[in-house]
Amino acid sequence: RLIDTPGMGDTRGIEQDAINIDHILTYLGTLSHLHAVLFVLKPNVSRMNIFFRSCLQQLFTYLTPHAYENIIFAFSSARSTFYA
């Protein structure tokens, strides 16, 4: 099962990001297990602001250390940046 969630760095602002991360964490709490977490990022957009980092830290503290081995970062549209 693949679960698609709202993105972080929402154009509606920080308040919407807080709502999104709360919904994600609430839903994860209903699952009996989780095999992997995939983050899809655009390589030409810098989103690592303070709030995005905070969202990631919240998610990582919610996961067990065993899940850290199954976190994947993927980049979409990487060809446009020549995979840099």
Coordinates of all heavy atoms in Angstrom, one line a residue:
R1 N 0.8 -1.2 0.0 CA 0.0 0.0 0.0 C 0.9 1.2 0.0 O 1.8 1.3 0.8 CB -0.9 0.0 1.3 CG -1.8 1.2 1.4 CD -2.6 1.2 2.6 NE -3.3 -0.1 2.8 CZ -3.9 -0.4 3.9 NH1 -3.9 0.4 5.0 NH2 -4.5 -1.5 4.0
L2 N 0.6 2.1 -0.9 CA 1.3 3.4 -0.9 C 0.4 4.5 -0.5 O -0.8 4.6 -0.9 CB 1.7 3.7 -2.4 CG 2.5 5.0 -2.7 CD1 3.8 5.0 -2.0 CD2 2.7 5.1 -4.2
I3 N 0.9 5.3 0.4 CA 0.1 6.4 1.0 C 0.7 7.7 0.5 O 1.8 8.0 0.9 CB 0.0 6.4 2.5 CG1 -0.5 5.0 3.0 CG2 -0.8 7.5 3.1 CD1 -0.2 4.7 4.4
D4 N 0.0 8.5 -0.2 CA 0.4 9.8 -0.7 C -0.1 10.9 0.3 O -1.3 10.9 0.6 CB -0.1 10.1 -2.1 CG 0.5 11.3 -2.7 OD1 1.5 11.8 -2.2 OD2 -0.1 11.8 -3.8
T5 N 0.8 11.7 0.7 CA 0.4 12.7 1.7 C 0.6 14.1 1.1 O 1.3 14.3 0.1 CB 1.3 12.7 3.0 OG1 2.6 12.9 2.6 CG2 1.1 11.3 3.6
P6 N 0.0 15.1 1.7 CA 0.3 16.5 1.2 C 1.7 16.8 1.4 O 2.4 16.3 2.3 CB -0.6 17.4 2.1 CG -1.5 16.5 2.8 CD -0.9 15.1 2.8
G7 N 2.2 17.7 0.5 CA 3.6 18.1 0.6 C 3.9 19.0 1.8 O 3.0 19.7 2.3
M8 N 5.2 19.1 2.1 CA 5.6 20.1 3.1 C 6.1 21.3 2.3 O 6.5 21.2 1.2 CB 6.7 19.5 4.0 CG 6.2 18.4 4.9 SD 7.5 17.8 5.8 CE 7.0 16.1 6.1
G9 N 6.0 22.5 3.0 CA 6.3 23.7 2.2 C 5.1 24.1 1.4 O 5.2 24.6 0.3
D10 N 3.9 23.9 2.0 CA 2.7 24.2 1.3 C 2.6 25.7 1.0 O 3.0 26.5 1.8 CB 1.5 23.8 2.2 CG 0.2 23.7 1.5 OD1 -0.3 24.7 1.1 OD2 -0.3 22.6 1.3
T11 N 2.1 26.0 -0.2 CA 1.9 27.4 -0.6 C 0.9 28.2 0.2 O 0.9 29.4 0.1 CB 1.5 27.5 -2.1 OG1 0.3 26.7 -2.3 CG2 2.6 26.9 -3.0
R12 N 0.1 27.5 1.0 CA -0.9 28.2 1.8 C -0.3 28.6 3.1 O -0.9 29.3 3.9 CB -2.1 27.3 2.1 CG -2.9 27.0 0.8 CD -3.9 26.0 1.1 NE -3.3 24.6 1.1 CZ -3.9 23.5 1.2 NH1 -5.2 23.5 1.4 NH2 -3.2 22.4 1.1
G13 N 1.0 28.3 3.4 CA 1.7 28.9 4.6 C 2.0 27.8 5.6 O 1.7 26.7 5.5
I14 N 2.7 28.3 6.6 CA 3.2 27.5 7.7 C 2.0 26.8 8.5 O 2.2 25.7 8.9 CB 4.1 28.4 8.7 CG1 5.3 28.8 8.0 CG2 4.4 27.6 10.0 CD1 6.2 29.7 8.7
E15 N 0.9 27.5 8.6 CA -0.2 27.0 9.4 C -0.7 25.7 8.7 O -1.0 24.7 9.3 CB -1.4 28.0 9.5 CG -1.0 29.2 10.3 CD -0.3 30.2 9.5 OE1 -0.3 30.2 8.3 OE2 0.3 31.1 10.2
Q16 N -0.7 25.7 7.3 CA -1.2 24.5 6.6 C -0.2 23.4 6.7 O -0.5 22.2 6.8 CB -1.4 24.9 5.1 CG -2.0 23.7 4.3 CD -3.4 23.3 4.8 OE1 -4.2 24.2 5.1 NE2 -3.7 22.0 5.0
D17 N 1.1 23.8 6.7 CA 2.1 22.7 7.0 C 1.9 22.0 8.3 O 2.1 20.8 8.4 CB 3.5 23.3 7.0 CG 4.1 23.6 5.6 OD1 3.7 22.8 4.6 OD2 4.9 24.5 5.4
A18 N 1.6 22.8 9.3 CA 1.4 22.2 10.7 C 0.2 21.3 10.6 O 0.2 20.2 11.2 CB 1.1 23.3 11.7
I19 N -0.9 21.7 9.9 CA -2.1 20.8 9.8 C -1.7 19.5 9.0 O -2.1 18.4 9.4 CB -3.2 21.6 9.1 CG1 -3.7 22.7 9.9 CG2 -4.3 20.6 8.6 CD1 -4.6 23.7 9.2
N20 N -0.9 19.7 7.9 CA -0.5 18.5 7.1 C 0.3 17.5 8.0 O 0.0 16.3 7.9 CB 0.3 19.0 5.9 CG -0.6 19.7 4.9 OD1 -1.8 19.7 4.9 ND2 0.1 20.4 4.0
I21 N 1.3 18.0 8.7 CA 2.1 17.1 9.5 C 1.3 16.4 10.6 O 1.5 15.3 10.9 CB 3.4 17.8 10.0 CG1 4.4 16.7 10.5 CG2 3.1 18.7 11.1 CD1 5.0 15.9 9.5
D22 N 0.4 17.2 11.1 CA -0.5 16.6 12.2 C -1.4 15.5 11.6 O -1.5 14.4 12.2 CB -1.4 17.7 12.8 CG -2.2 17.1 13.9 OD1 -1.7 16.5 14.9 OD2 -3.5 17.3 13.9
H23 N -1.9 15.7 10.4 CA -2.7 14.6 9.7 C -1.9 13.4 9.4 O -2.3 12.3 9.6 CB -3.4 15.2 8.5 CG -4.5 16.1 8.8 ND1 -5.0 16.9 7.8 CD2 -5.2 16.3 9.9 CE1 -6.0 17.6 8.3 NE2 -6.1 17.3 9.6
I24 N -0.6 13.6 8.9 CA 0.2 12.5 8.6 C 0.6 11.7 9.8 O 0.5 10.5 9.8 CB 1.5 13.1 7.9 CG1 1.2 13.7 6.6 CG2 2.6 12.0 7.8 CD1 2.4 14.5 6.0
L25 N 0.9 12.4 10.9 CA 1.3 11.6 12.1 C 0.1 10.9 12.7 O 0.2 9.8 13.2 CB 1.9 12.6 13.2 CG 3.3 13.2 12.8 CD1 3.7 14.2 13.8 CD2 4.3 12.1 12.6
T26 N -1.1 11.5 12.7 CA -2.3 10.9 13.1 C -2.6 9.6 12.4 O -2.9 8.6 12.9 CB -3.5 11.8 13.1 OG1 -3.2 13.0 13.9 CG2 -4.8 11.2 13.5
Y27 N -2.5 9.7 11.0 CA -2.7 8.5 10.2 C -1.7 7.4 10.5 O -2.0 6.2 10.6 CB -2.8 8.9 8.7 CG -3.1 7.7 7.9 CD1 -4.4 7.3 7.8 CD2 -2.2 7.0 7.2 CE1 -4.8 6.1 7.1 CE2 -2.5 5.8 6.5 CZ -3.8 5.4 6.4 OH -4.2 4.3 5.7
L28 N -0.4 7.8 10.6 CA 0.6 6.8 10.9 C 0.3 6.1 12.2 O 0.7 4.9 12.3 CB 2.0 7.5 10.9 CG 2.6 7.9 9.6 CD1 3.9 8.6 9.8 CD2 2.7 6.8 8.6
G29 N -0.3 6.7 13.1 CA -0.6 6.1 14.4 C -1.6 5.0 14.2 O -1.8 4.1 15.1
T30 N -2.4 5.0 13.1 CA -3.4 3.9 12.9 C -2.8 2.7 12.3 O -3.5 1.7 12.2 CB -4.5 4.4 12.1 OG1 -4.1 4.7 10.7 CG2 -5.2 5.7 12.6
L31 N -1.6 2.7 11.8 CA -1.0 1.6 11.1 C -0.3 0.7 12.0 O 0.3 1.1 13.0 CB 0.1 2.1 10.1 CG -0.4 3.1 9.0 CD1 0.7 3.6 8.2 CD2 -1.5 2.4 8.1
S32 N -0.4 -0.6 11.8 CA 0.3 -1.6 12.6 C 1.8 -1.7 12.3 O 2.6 -2.1 13.1 CB -0.4 -3.0 12.4 OG -0.2 -3.4 11.1
H33 N 2.2 -1.4 11.0 CA 3.6 -1.4 10.7 C 3.8 -0.6 9.4 O 2.8 -0.2 8.7 CB 4.1 -2.8 10.4 CG 3.4 -3.6 9.3 ND1 2.2 -4.2 9.6 CD2 3.7 -3.8 8.0 CE1 1.8 -4.8 8.4 NE2 2.7 -4.5 7.5
L34 N 5.0 -0.2 9.2 CA 5.4 0.7 8.1 C 6.7 0.1 7.5 O 7.6 -0.1 8.2 CB 5.6 2.1 8.6 CG 5.8 3.2 7.6 CD1 4.6 3.4 6.7 CD2 6.2 4.5 8.4
H35 N 6.7 -0.1 6.2 CA 7.8 -0.7 5.5 C 8.9 0.3 5.1 O 10.1 0.1 5.1 CB 7.4 -1.6 4.3 CG 6.6 -2.8 4.7 ND1 7.2 -3.9 5.3 CD2 5.3 -3.0 4.6 CE1 6.3 -4.8 5.5 NE2 5.2 -4.3 5.1
A36 N 8.4 1.5 4.6 CA 9.3 2.5 4.1 C 8.7 3.9 4.1 O 7.4 4.0 4.1 CB 9.8 2.1 2.7
V37 N 9.5 4.9 4.1 CA 9.0 6.3 4.0 C 9.8 6.8 2.8 O 11.1 6.8 2.8 CB 9.3 7.1 5.3 CG1 8.9 8.5 5.0 CG2 8.6 6.5 6.4
L38 N 9.1 7.4 1.8 CA 9.7 7.9 0.6 C 9.4 9.4 0.6 O 8.3 9.8 0.6 CB 9.1 7.2 -0.6 CG 9.5 7.8 -2.0 CD1 11.0 7.6 -2.2 CD2 8.7 7.2 -3.1
F39 N 10.5 10.2 0.5 CA 10.3 11.6 0.3 C 10.7 11.9 -1.2 O 11.8 11.6 -1.6 CB 11.3 12.4 1.2 CG 10.9 12.3 2.6 CD1 11.6 11.4 3.4 CD2 10.0 13.2 3.2 CE1 11.3 11.3 4.8 CE2 9.7 13.1 4.5 CZ 10.3 12.1 5.3
V40 N 9.8 12.6 -1.9 CA 10.1 12.9 -3.3 C 10.3 14.4 -3.3 O 9.4 15.2 -2.9 CB 8.9 12.5 -4.2 CG1 9.2 12.9 -5.7 CG2 8.6 11.0 -4.1
L41 N 11.5 14.8 -3.8 CA 11.8 16.2 -3.8 C 12.2 16.7 -5.2 O 12.7 15.9 -6.0 CB 13.1 16.4 -2.9 CG 12.9 16.0 -1.4 CD1 14.2 15.9 -0.7 CD2 11.9 16.9 -0.7
K42 N 12.0 17.9 -5.5 CA 12.5 18.5 -6.8 C 13.9 19.0 -6.5 O 14.2 19.7 -5.6 CB 11.6 19.6 -7.2 CG 10.2 19.2 -7.7 CD 9.4 20.3 -8.2 CE 8.1 19.8 -8.7 NZ 7.3 20.9 -9.2
P43 N 14.8 18.6 -7.4 CA 16.2 19.0 -7.1 C 16.5 20.5 -7.3 O 17.5 21.0 -6.8 CB 17.0 18.2 -8.1 CG 16.1 18.0 -9.3 CD 14.7 17.9 -8.6
N44 N 15.7 21.2 -8.0 CA 15.9 22.6 -8.3 C 15.2 23.6 -7.3 O 15.2 24.7 -7.5 CB 15.6 22.9 -9.7 CG 14.2 22.6 -10.1 OD1 13.5 22.0 -9.3 ND2 13.8 23.1 -11.2
V45 N 14.5 23.0 -6.3 CA 13.8 23.8 -5.4 C 14.3 23.6 -4.0 O 14.4 22.5 -3.5 CB 12.3 23.5 -5.4 CG1 11.5 24.3 -4.4 CG2 11.7 23.7 -6.8
S46 N 14.7 24.7 -3.3 CA 15.2 24.6 -2.0 C 14.1 24.7 -1.0 O 13.5 25.8 -0.9 CB 16.2 25.7 -1.7 OG 16.6 25.7 -0.4
R47 N 13.8 23.6 -0.3 CA 12.7 23.6 0.7 C 13.2 23.4 2.1 O 12.4 23.2 3.0 CB 11.7 22.5 0.3 CG 10.8 22.8 -0.8 CD 9.7 21.8 -0.9 NE 8.7 22.2 -1.8 CZ 7.6 21.5 -2.0 NH1 7.4 20.4 -1.3 NH2 6.7 21.9 -2.9
M48 N 14.5 23.3 2.3 CA 15.0 22.9 3.6 C 15.0 24.2 4.5 O 16.1 24.6 4.9 CB 16.4 22.3 3.5 CG 16.8 21.7 4.8 SD 15.6 20.6 5.5 CE 16.5 19.0 5.4
N49 N 13.9 24.8 4.7 CA 13.8 25.9 5.6 C 13.6 25.4 7.0 O 13.5 24.2 7.2 CB 12.6 26.8 5.2 CG 11.3 26.1 5.1 OD1 11.0 25.2 5.9 ND2 10.4 26.6 4.3
I50 N 13.5 26.2 8.0 CA 13.4 25.8 9.4 C 12.1 25.0 9.6 O 12.2 24.0 10.3 CB 13.4 27.1 10.3 CG1 14.8 27.8 10.2 CG2 13.1 26.7 11.7 CD1 14.8 29.1 10.8
F51 N 11.0 25.4 9.0 CA 9.8 24.6 9.3 C 9.8 23.2 8.7 O 9.4 22.3 9.3 CB 8.6 25.4 8.9 CG 7.3 24.7 9.4 CD1 6.9 24.9 10.7 CD2 6.6 23.9 8.6 CE1 5.8 24.3 11.2 CE2 5.4 23.3 9.1 CZ 5.1 23.5 10.4
F52 N 10.4 23.1 7.5 CA 10.5 21.8 6.8 C 11.4 20.9 7.6 O 11.1 19.7 7.9 CB 11.1 22.0 5.4 CG 11.2 20.7 4.7 CD1 10.1 20.0 4.2 CD2 12.5 20.2 4.4 CE1 10.3 18.8 3.6 CE2 12.6 19.0 3.7 CZ 11.5 18.3 3.3
R53 N 12.5 21.5 8.1 CA 13.4 20.7 9.0 C 12.6 20.2 10.3 O 12.8 19.1 10.7 CB 14.6 21.5 9.4 CG 15.6 20.7 10.2 CD 16.8 21.5 10.4 NE 17.4 21.7 9.1 CZ 18.5 22.5 8.9 NH1 19.1 23.1 9.9 NH2 19.0 22.6 7.7
S54 N 11.8 21.1 10.8 CA 11.0 20.8 12.0 C 10.1 19.7 11.7 O 9.9 18.7 12.5 CB 10.3 22.0 12.5 OG 9.4 21.7 13.5
C55 N 9.4 19.7 10.6 CA 8.5 18.6 10.2 C 9.2 17.3 10.1 O 8.7 16.3 10.5 CB 7.8 19.0 8.8 SG 6.6 20.3 8.9
L56 N 10.4 17.3 9.5 CA 11.1 16.1 9.4 C 11.5 15.5 10.7 O 11.5 14.3 11.0 CB 12.4 16.3 8.5 CG 12.2 16.5 7.0 CD1 13.5 16.7 6.3 CD2 11.4 15.3 6.4
Q57 N 12.0 16.4 11.6 CA 12.4 16.0 13.0 C 11.2 15.4 13.7 O 11.3 14.4 14.4 CB 13.0 17.2 13.7 CG 14.3 17.5 13.2 CD 14.9 18.8 13.8 OE1 14.1 19.7 14.3 NE2 16.2 19.0 13.8
Q58 N 10.0 16.0 13.6 CA 8.8 15.4 14.2 C 8.5 14.0 13.7 O 8.2 13.1 14.5 CB 7.6 16.3 13.9 CG 7.5 17.6 14.7 CD 6.3 18.4 14.3 OE1 5.2 17.8 14.1 NE2 6.4 19.7 14.3
L59 N 8.6 13.9 12.4 CA 8.4 12.6 11.8 C 9.4 11.6 12.3 O 9.1 10.4 12.6 CB 8.4 12.7 10.3 CG 8.2 11.4 9.5 CD1 6.8 10.8 9.8 CD2 8.3 11.6 8.0
F60 N 10.7 12.0 12.3 CA 11.7 11.0 12.7 C 11.6 10.7 14.2 O 12.0 9.5 14.5 CB 13.1 11.6 12.4 CG 13.4 11.8 11.0 CD1 14.4 12.7 10.5 CD2 12.8 11.1 10.0 CE1 14.7 12.9 9.2 CE2 13.0 11.3 8.6 CZ 14.0 12.1 8.2
T61 N 11.2 11.6 15.0 CA 11.0 11.2 16.4 C 9.8 10.3 16.6 O 9.8 9.5 17.6 CB 10.8 12.4 17.3 OG1 9.7 13.2 16.9 CG2 12.1 13.3 17.3
Y62 N 8.9 10.3 15.7 CA 7.7 9.4 15.8 C 8.1 8.0 15.3 O 7.5 7.0 15.8 CB 6.6 10.0 14.9 CG 5.3 9.2 15.0 CD1 4.5 9.4 16.1 CD2 4.9 8.3 14.0 CE1 3.3 8.7 16.1 CE2 3.8 7.6 14.1 CZ 2.9 7.8 15.1 OH 1.8 7.1 15.2
L63 N 9.0 7.9 14.4 CA 9.4 6.6 13.9 C 10.4 5.9 14.8 O 11.1 6.5 15.6 CB 10.1 6.7 12.5 CG 9.2 7.4 11.4 CD1 10.0 7.6 10.2 CD2 8.0 6.5 11.1
T64 N 10.4 4.6 14.7 CA 11.4 3.8 15.5 C 12.8 3.8 14.8 O 12.8 4.0 13.6 CB 11.0 2.4 15.7 OG1 10.9 1.7 14.5 CG2 9.6 2.3 16.4
P65 N 13.9 3.6 15.5 CA 15.2 3.6 14.9 C 15.2 2.5 13.8 O 16.0 2.7 12.8 CB 16.1 3.2 16.0 CG 15.5 3.8 17.2 CD 14.0 3.6 17.0
H66 N 14.5 1.4 13.9 CA 14.4 0.4 12.8 C 13.9 1.0 11.5 O 14.4 0.7 10.4 CB 13.6 -0.7 13.2 CG 13.4 -1.8 12.1 ND1 14.4 -2.6 11.7 CD2 12.3 -2.1 11.4 CE1 14.0 -3.4 10.8 NE2 12.7 -3.1 10.5
A67 N 13.0 2.0 11.6 CA 12.5 2.6 10.3 C 13.5 3.5 9.7 O 13.3 3.7 8.5 CB 11.2 3.4 10.7
Y68 N 14.4 4.0 10.4 CA 15.4 4.9 9.8 C 16.2 4.2 8.6 O 16.6 4.9 7.7 CB 16.5 5.4 10.8 CG 15.9 6.2 12.0 CD1 16.7 6.4 13.1 CD2 14.7 6.7 11.9 CE1 16.2 7.1 14.2 CE2 14.2 7.5 13.0 CZ 15.0 7.7 14.1 OH 14.5 8.4 15.2
E69 N 16.3 2.9 8.7 CA 17.0 2.2 7.6 C 16.1 2.2 6.3 O 16.7 1.9 5.2 CB 17.2 0.8 8.0 CG 18.1 0.7 9.2 CD 18.2 -0.8 9.8 OE1 17.6 -1.7 9.2 OE2 18.8 -0.9 10.8
N70 N 14.9 2.5 6.4 CA 14.0 2.4 5.3 C 13.4 3.8 4.8 O 12.3 3.9 4.3 CB 12.8 1.5 5.6 CG 13.3 0.1 5.9 OD1 14.2 -0.4 5.2 ND2 12.7 -0.5 6.9
I71 N 14.2 4.8 5.1 CA 13.8 6.2 4.6 C 14.6 6.4 3.3 O 15.8 6.2 3.2 CB 14.2 7.2 5.7 CG1 13.4 7.1 6.9 CG2 14.0 8.6 5.1 CD1 13.8 8.0 8.1
I72 N 13.8 6.8 2.3 CA 14.3 7.0 1.0 C 14.0 8.4 0.5 O 12.9 8.9 0.7 CB 13.6 6.0 0.0 CG1 13.8 4.6 0.5 CG2 14.2 6.2 -1.4 CD1 12.8 3.6 -0.2
F73 N 15.1 9.1 0.0 CA 14.9 10.4 -0.7 C 15.1 10.2 -2.2 O 16.1 9.7 -2.6 CB 16.0 11.4 -0.1 CG 15.7 11.8 1.3 CD1 16.3 11.0 2.3 CD2 14.9 12.8 1.6 CE1 16.1 11.4 3.7 CE2 14.7 13.2 2.9 CZ 15.3 12.5 4.0
A74 N 14.0 10.6 -2.9 CA 14.1 10.5 -4.4 C 13.9 11.9 -4.9 O 13.3 12.7 -4.3 CB 13.0 9.6 -4.9
F75 N 14.4 12.1 -6.1 CA 14.4 13.4 -6.8 C 13.6 13.3 -8.1 O 14.0 12.5 -8.9 CB 15.8 14.0 -6.9 CG 16.4 14.2 -5.6 CD1 17.3 13.3 -5.1 CD2 16.3 15.4 -5.0 CE1 17.9 13.5 -3.9 CE2 16.9 15.7 -3.7 CZ 17.7 14.7 -3.2
S76 N 12.6 14.0 -8.2 CA 11.8 14.1 -9.5 C 12.4 15.1 -10.4 O 13.0 16.1 -9.9 CB 10.3 14.3 -9.3 OG 10.1 15.6 -8.7
S77 N 12.2 15.0 -11.7 CA 12.7 16.0 -12.7 C 14.2 16.3 -12.5 O 14.6 17.4 -12.8 CB 11.9 17.3 -12.5 OG 10.5 17.1 -12.5
A78 N 14.9 15.3 -12.2 CA 16.4 15.5 -12.0 C 17.1 15.7 -13.3 O 18.2 16.3 -13.3 CB 17.0 14.3 -11.2
R79 N 16.5 15.3 -14.4 CA 17.2 15.4 -15.7 C 17.4 16.9 -16.1 O 18.4 17.3 -16.7 CB 16.4 14.7 -16.8 CG 17.1 14.7 -18.1 CD 16.4 13.9 -19.1 NE 17.1 13.9 -20.4 CZ 16.7 13.4 -21.5 NH1 15.5 12.8 -21.5 NH2 17.4 13.5 -22.6
S80 N 16.4 17.7 -15.7 CA 16.5 19.2 -16.0 C 17.7 19.9 -15.3 O 18.1 20.9 -15.7 CB 15.2 19.9 -15.6 OG 15.0 19.9 -14.2
T81 N 18.2 19.2 -14.2 CA 19.4 19.8 -13.6 C 20.6 19.0 -13.9 O 21.6 19.1 -13.2 CB 19.2 19.8 -12.0 OG1 19.0 18.5 -11.6 CG2 18.0 20.7 -11.6
F82 N 20.5 18.1 -14.9 CA 21.6 17.2 -15.3 C 22.1 16.4 -14.1 O 23.3 16.1 -13.9 CB 22.8 18.0 -15.8 CG 22.4 18.7 -17.1 CD1 22.3 20.1 -17.1 CD2 22.2 18.1 -18.3 CE1 21.9 20.8 -18.2 CE2 21.8 18.8 -19.4 CZ 21.7 20.1 -19.4
Y83 N 21.1 16.0 -13.2 CA 21.3 15.1 -12.1 C 22.3 15.7 -11.0 O 23.0 14.9 -10.3 CB 21.8 13.7 -12.5 CG 20.8 13.1 -13.6 CD1 21.1 13.2 -14.9 CD2 19.6 12.6 -13.2 CE1 20.2 12.7 -15.9 CE2 18.8 12.0 -14.1 CZ 19.1 12.1 -15.4 OH 18.2 11.6 -16.4
A84 N 22.4 17.0 -11.0 CA 23.3 17.6 -10.0 C 22.7 17.8 -8.7 O 21.5 18.0 -8.6 CB 23.8 19.0 -10.6

